[in-house]
C-alpha cells in the first residue's frame, strides 16, 4: 500500500493546475517559490497548497520555498507524465481533427498514432500526418500498437457501440467527447469532456447573475418608494 | 431573494446531466419517469435526485413519477436555455472552427455570430457561414450585436491581453479554452475547458490503477513465497 491510495479526487483534480503554473514559472526562470507566492498567483490559500502537497510527502522545506523544477517534475511523475501514451482518435470529424492538430498534447507525452472513422472518403487522407482507417480495424490496431487511450469524438448514437468494442480491447482509458455517459469495465478509466454541459453551466451563471442584479434593483427601488 | 441563491455549485454542476438524460427520454417518447428509474439510468441514488430537485421546488409528485417533458423544460429554464445567446469566437484556428461547426450548440440556443483572429489570411473566408474579422473590431462588435458570450480558443500568450479588452466590454461570460486562468471582473462569468488538464487527470488514473494492480500482484507473490 502506498500513501497515494487515500488521496481524494478533489486533490487529484487540482494537480494539473499546479503542474501548469509550475511549468510557467520554470519557463520564466523562477527557481524557487514559496507556498504564499504560489497561493497568490493561483488564488488559493497557502494552507491548501501545503495540505495538498503533504499528500505526496511535502516536496520541500517551508521557509526556503519549493524548488520549481523539482516540484514540476515530481507532480509530472504523480500524473504519469514521465510515461509516453499512445492514443487513437475514434471519429475523424472537425473536433477530432482539431485535437490531432493540437501540438500541446504531444509536448506532454500523448501521441496520436491513428484515427478511425466510418466515412470511407477519409481513408486515403491524412490528418496532420495521421492515417485514417476503417472502424473495423480499430480493435486489432489497439493490440498491435500498444494503444493506451482512445479519444472518442463521435456522435452519441455511435458511442455506445464503440464503447462495447473497446470493452474487449486492452485499452487503458477513454477520453470521451461523445455527449453521453459510457458504461465500461472498471479497468478502463474514463474522463468525460461534455462541452454542451459546460456551456449550460455558463448559461446558468449568466442568468443567475442577471436575476440577482434585477432583484437588487427592485429592492433598491422598493426602498426609494 | 429567491430560493436558488443558496444552491451549491455541486447541484448546479449536475443539472446539465439531468437535462441531457431527460432530453433523451423525451426524444424516446417516455412521458413519465420515477426517481428510481432515473437513478438507475444515471447511476446515482434516487434520494440524491429527489434532494437535487427539491432545491427547485420538487418538480412533481412522488409515486406518480415526474412528467418528462415538464421536467426537461423546467431544468432548461433554470439553466437559462429558454433564452437565446449570441456568441463570438476569438481565435479561428482548428479548435475554434470545430466549435463553430458543432451544430448541437445551436440546438440549445447558442449562436455564433462572428469570429475574430489576428491572421489576416482568414478575413476573406467564412467558417460554416460565419465571417472572420480583425481582433481590433471585437469590442465594437460586442456592443453593436449584443454578444453575451466570448469563446476563447487562442494560445495562452494572447489570452491575458484579450481578457483585458473583454473586461471593458458589455460581455456576460467567457467560455475559455485557452490554457490559462483569466482574471476578470465578477460580472463576467468564466467557464474553463482546460483540455490538457483533463488529459492529465486521465493519465493519473491510468498510472494509479497500474500501480495498484502491480502492488496486488507483488503481495500475492509474497504470500506464495
Amino acid at each position: 500500500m502506498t500513501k497515494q491510495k487515500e488521496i481524494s479526487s478533489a486533490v487529484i483534480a487540482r494537480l494539473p493546475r499546479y503542474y501548469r503554473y509550475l511549468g510557467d514559472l520554470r519557463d520564466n526562470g523562477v527557481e524557487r517559490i514559496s507556498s504564499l507566492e504560489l497561493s497568490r498567483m493561483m488564488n488559493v490559500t497557502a494552507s491548501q497548497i501545503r495540505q495538498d502537497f503533504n499528500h505526496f510527502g511535502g516536496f520541500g522545506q517551508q521557509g526556503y520555498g519549493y524548488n520549481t523544477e523539482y516540484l514540476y517534475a515530481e507532480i509530472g511523475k504523480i500524473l504519469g507524465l514521465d510515461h509516453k501514451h499512445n492514443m487513437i482518435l475514434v471519429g475523424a470529424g472537425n473536433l477530432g481533427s482539431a485535437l490531432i492538430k493540437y501540438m500541446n498534447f504531444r509536448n506532454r507525452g500523448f501521441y496520436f498514432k491513428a484515427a478511425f472513422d466510418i466515412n470511407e472518403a477519409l481513408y486515403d487522407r491524412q490528418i496532420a500526418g495521421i492515417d485514417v482507417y476503417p472502424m473495423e480495424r480499430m480493435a486489432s490496431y489497439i493490440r498491435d500498437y500498444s494503444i493506451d487511450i482512445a479519444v472518442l469524438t463521435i456522435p452519441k448514437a455511435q458511442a455506445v457501440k464503440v464503447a462495447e468494442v473497446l470493452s474487449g480491447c486492452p485499452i487503458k482509458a477513454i477520453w470521451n467527447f461523445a455527449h453521453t455517459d459510457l458504461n465500461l469495465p472498471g479497468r478502463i478509466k474514463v474522463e468525460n469532456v461534455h462541452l454542451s454541459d459546460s456551456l449550460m453551466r455558463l448559461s446558468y451563471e449568466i442568468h443567475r447573475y442577471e436575476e440577482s442584479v434585477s432583484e437588487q434593483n427592485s429592492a433598491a427601488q422598493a426602498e426609494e418608494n
Side-chain angles (χ1 to χ4, degrees), chain A:
Chain A
M1 294 273 276
T2 63
K3 260 193 193 171
Q4 281 180 232
K5 270 229 173 105
E6 302 81 25
I7 297 166
S8 78
S9 61
V11 177
I12 302 312
R14 286 194 285 270
L15 285 182
R17 191 160 175 258
Y18 287 123
Y19 190 74
R20 182 149 47 86
Y21 275 85
L22 289 162
D24 288 346
L25 286 166
R26 193 197 59 156
D27 293 346
N28 292 323
V30 178
E31 284 179 20
R32 296 195 79 83
I33 188 150
S34 69
S35 52
L36 190 62
E37 289 167 300
L38 192 57
S39 80
R40 282 177 186 154
M41 284 178 60
M42 295 185 65
N43 207 17
V44 295
T45 64
S47 132
Q48 167 151 88
I49 290 178
R50 286 191 298 266
Q51 274 177 37
D52 284 351
F53 290 178
N54 275 337
H55 288 291
F56 305 99
F59 295 132
Q61 288 163 302
Q62 259 178 268
Y64 291 87
Y66 301 103
N67 178 313
T68 312
E69 180 79 47
Y70 172 76
L71 187 50
Y72 178 74
E74 286 299 306
I75 294 180
K77 276 185 216 164
I78 294 166
L79 289 169
L81 302 177
D82 52 342
H83 294 70
K84 267 180 60 177
H85 296 93
N86 290 332
M87 308 201 291
I88 54 165
L89 181 76
V90 187
N94 295 310
L95 179 60
S97 301
L99 293 177
I100 284 185
K101 290 170 186 164
Y102 189 66
M103 282 300 112
N104 255 2
F105 299 143
R106 182 164 292 210
N107 298 342
R108 300 267 155 85
F110 299 93
Y111 294 87
F112 277 110
K113 292 300 196 178
F116 298 86
D117 204 287
I118 52 170
N119 182 358
E120 289 181 25
L122 300 172
Y123 301 155
D124 51 359
R125 290 187 219 163
Q126 283 193 325
I127 303 165
I130 301 299
D131 288 314
V132 185
Y133 299 111
M135 291 294 292
E136 291 73 30
R137 288 196 49 188
M138 185 179 73
S140 63
Y141 192 98
I142 289 171
R143 261 170 266 269
D144 295 346
Y145 292 90
S146 306
I147 300 300
D148 295 332
I149 302 172
V151 182
L152 260 54
T153 48
I154 46 179
K156 69 176 171 184
Q158 293 170 36
V160 176
K161 204 184 148 197
V162 169
E164 268 175 29
V165 176
L166 290 172
S167 295
C169 295
I171 199 107
K172 293 174 183 169
I174 293 180
W175 200 23
N176 177 38
F177 289 78
H179 201 217
T180 191
D181 299 324
L182 304 175
N183 277 318
L184 289 153
R187 66 173 175 85
I188 301 181
K189 306 302 162 192
V190 181
E191 170 88 13
N192 293 306
V193 183
H194 290 319
L195 294 177
S196 298
D197 287 14
S198 168
L199 196 48
M200 286 189 236
R201 283 193 294 273
L202 196 59
S203 168
Y204 173 85
E205 292 298 334
I206 292 173
H207 293 282
R208 200 54 220 105
Y209 179 74
E210 290 189 337
E211 274 175 35
S212 75
V213 169
S214 96
E215 279 160 22
Q216 280 166 21
N217 290 346
S218 312
Q221 214 156 34
E223 247 172 64
E224 275 176 36
N225 293 342

